[in-house]
Amino acid sequence: GAVGNRFRKPPAEGRVVPKTGCVGRGGALSGYLHRPDGAELVFSVMVNHYTAPTAQVQAAVDRFVTALVTHPFPFTSSAASN
């Protein structure tokens, strides 16, 4: 797999450090990300036996990972220290 131009625009730009892998109609995107609130998250997304075009599957995974950057979560560093 190749990261290519993925995560090159805000809000994920400079915040997502990804690594891809694929075999046939299965793929994975794993890595870590730095959130604006200072928290670091580790993620791994795997898809298998998908029937949609690869570009659509990658776009959906990228939207999910980008949401991890921006979505408010109760388990980030500020919540963990309370």
Side-chain angles (χ1 to χ4, degrees):
V3 175
N5 291 324
R6 296 166 79 174
F7 309 108
R8 300 278 187 209
K9 296 180 182 175
E13 180 181 30
R15 295 188 175 277
V16 177
V17 181
K19 176 67 180 123
T20 61
C22 65
V23 176
R25 296 298 278 181
L29 181 73
S30 300
Y32 61 95
L33 58 88
H34 304 277
R35 291 176 41 85
D37 62 9
E40 277 191 338
L41 298 180
V42 175
F43 66 89
S44 186
V45 181
M46 293 179 267
V47 292
N48 198 19
H49 300 293
Y50 56 87
T51 58
T54 299
Q56 286 182 3
V57 173
Q58 286 179 348
V61 170
D62 290 0
R63 285 191 303 273
F64 172 74
V65 172
T66 299
L68 293 176
V69 172
T70 59
H71 185 78
F73 287 108
F75 55 81
T76 57
S77 60
S78 61
S81 63
N82 290 333

